[in-house]
Amino acid sequence: MIDFRSDTVTQPCAKMRDAMANAVVGDDVYGDDPTVNELENWTAKRHGFEAALFCSSGTQANLLALMSHCQRGDEYLCGQQAHNYKFEGGGAAVLGSIQPQPIENEKDGSLSLEKLARAIKPDDPHFARTTLISIENTINGKVLPLDYLSSLKAFAEHHQLKLHLDGARVYNAATALDVDITEIVQHFDSMTICLSKGLGAPIGSLLLGSSELIKQARRWRKVLGGGMRQAGILCAAAKIALTDNIAKLKVDHRNAKYLAEQINAIDGFEVNLNQVATNMVFVKVAEHIDIAVLAEALKVKGILIAPNRYMRLVTHLGIDQSAIDSFITELKTLSRQ
Ligand SMILES: *Cc1c(COP(=O)(O)O)cnc(C)c1O
């Protein structure tokens, strides 16, 4: 299958499967798994944080960050479009007694500092305590500019707020900006990285932060049922994702540009080419095209898309230029019918 639905569909390569089969493991709840320990220590150092924690998913890593930064009755400021507000089942409120205070994202995905300032609550028992700002990069495939990140950091310091980065796809941002990852992450008190998206590991995300924050997060992870035992099997694949696959994101971005140009040239499909910055292409599909029918017809041809009027297509390790060419050929034929 050629699968454009998400970069989460990437499959572990042979090298990962070998490393998983041969990983030296132990019981990580006792701190005994050398492969987990090595990955956590190595990633912390690589990204300039004191400590790291291997988590089962990005949703869990974000929740642990929120629960470790915030107490019951605190709130975090985030975007209306933020994954950890909109797409994580309300976990912070449900499980952490933490109130989200969403703010409309600007067109470029950022949060306006003026709007953030207006949302910060005074120290008064009427209000939840504003504790944290959480932002996302990339957000819907868009990359936040570096100068925005430094002004956000200064803003957070001025207001004595902590700053969290949902960096599920932060390596896509670093790739698009052509900077070392530390240029982006130096501004944050904590961050997450998804290993199971474009980086191609089968399972897992990392949470990074201070030793104290990670100590808290490790405790909450156990409470939430995320204390995994011989997790080194997963971390062996994760290490390869972080060493071998980051450089390949460039190819995904190039393929996304190519896909965007090709699809934009077809009647009834429109892409804002200036907005294709990373591995995502957003396509406006004309009203006269029945997207559900189109998706079904493509599926018969071995191509998967998420059928939406404003359709997201994602490039990843499982999609090369010839896969895009096959898709475009099918799309031309099917959308004419
Ligand atoms: C995918 C994603 C997550 C959650 O990751 P899961 O591993 O799917 O739980 C969090 N934030 C962003 C921005 C994501 O894209």
Side-chain angles (χ1 to χ4, degrees):
M1 295 302 265
I2 302 171
D3 195 339
F4 289 99
R5 292 172 304 167
S6 179
D7 46 9
T8 54
V9 303
T10 45
Q11 300 264 332
C13 61
K15 186 174 170 187
M16 277 183 189
R17 290 170 189 264
D18 271 353
M20 292 171 83
N22 295 310
V24 181
V25 295
D27 188 330
D28 181 51
V29 175
Y30 290 117
D32 284 351
D33 191 310
T35 309
V36 176
N37 293 339
E38 200 271 330
L39 179 78
E40 290 180 346
N41 292 334
W42 180 82
T43 3
K45 195 180 264 171
R46 168 68 185 96
H47 297 89
F49 287 88
E50 285 174 6
L53 185 68
F54 181 72
C55 303
S56 60
S57 67
T59 300
Q60 186 184 66
N62 273 327
L63 177 60
L64 294 177
L66 294 169
M67 289 178 73
S68 303
H69 279 298
C70 303
Q71 305 293 314
R72 180 179 190 209
D74 287 0
E75 73 171 7
Y76 67 106
L77 310 180
C78 60
Q80 281 284 355
Q81 301 305 319
H83 199 284
N84 63 22
Y85 168 61
K86 199 173 172 186
F87 299 110
E88 297 181 8
V94 174
L95 299 163
S97 301
I98 303 157
Q99 164 172 289
Q101 168 61 71
I103 289 154
E104 204 59 58
N105 292 88
E106 301 304 305
K107 273 215 164 61
D108 67 357
S110 70
L111 300 177
S112 130
L113 301 188
E114 291 91 88
K115 288 179 191 166
L116 281 170
R118 265 183 264 135
I120 297 172
K121 312 295 185 293
D123 183 7
D124 173 322
H126 284 91
F127 303 111
R129 287 174 302 254
T130 313
T131 307
L132 176 75
I133 302 171
S134 174
I135 63 155
E136 196 172 307
N137 193 19
T138 63
I139 176 158
N140 294 327
K142 292 173 195 154
V143 181
L144 300 177
L146 289 177
D147 58 350
Y148 170 73
L149 299 184
S150 48
S151 58
L152 183 66
K153 170 66 178 166
F155 175 89
E157 270 178 358
H158 177 72
H159 292 279
Q160 295 182 297
L161 302 174
K162 297 286 187 205
L163 200 53
H164 172 70
L165 173 64
D166 179 348
R169 295 190 180 86
V170 68
Y171 271 103
N172 293 88
T175 301
L177 294 171
D178 197 18
V179 297
D180 188 76
I181 192 74
T182 51
E183 296 279 313
I184 295 176
V185 307
Q186 60 176 332
H187 303 293
F188 294 89
D189 298 294
S190 61
M191 69 176 289
T192 57
I193 305 171
C194 256
L195 302 160
S196 59
K197 292 186 170 161
L199 298 180
I203 296 171
S205 273
L206 287 156
L207 173 64
L208 298 100
S210 68
S211 304
E212 190 47 42
L213 186 94
I214 295 301
K215 193 174 154 202
Q216 292 292 325
R218 195 177 290 280
R219 181 180 175 77
W220 284 125
R221 188 186 66 172
K222 187 77 179 81
V223 173
L224 294 168
M228 296 183 282
R229 302 293 177 175
Q230 287 74 35
I233 290 198
L234 302 175
C235 291
K239 184 72 187 285
I240 292 168
L242 288 167
T243 48
D244 291 18
N245 287 350
I246 290 166
K248 298 176 189 165
L249 295 175
K250 230 184 272 152
V251 180
D252 296 346
H253 295 187
R254 206 183 306 138
N255 284 338
K257 279 233 159 63
Y258 178 71
L259 170 63
E261 285 158 10
Q262 296 295 310
I263 201 167
N264 190 48
I266 306 174
D267 252 5
F269 299 89
E270 194 187 325
V271 181
N272 184 342
L273 296 175
N274 298 324
Q275 279 187 6
V276 184
T278 58
N279 67 333
M280 289 184 191
V281 178
F282 288 88
V283 188
K284 212 157 107 195
V285 184
E287 290 293 336
H288 70 269
I289 296 171
D290 187 325
I291 306 166
V293 170
L294 177 67
E296 274 311 308
L298 283 167
K299 196 171 176 180
V300 173
K301 305 284 183 185
I303 297 165
L304 297 175
I305 60 163
N308 292 307
R309 185 69 45 205
Y310 193 55
M311 180 169 71
R312 185 189 79 164
L313 302 171
V314 187
T315 55
H316 51 77
L317 289 165
I319 292 190
D320 58 12
Q321 195 162 319
S322 77
I324 295 170
D325 289 335
S326 310
F327 171 54
I328 294 297
T329 305
E330 295 298 345
L331 202 58
K332 278 181 183 158
T333 315
L334 291 168
S335 62
R336 246 186 260 120
Q337 288 166 359

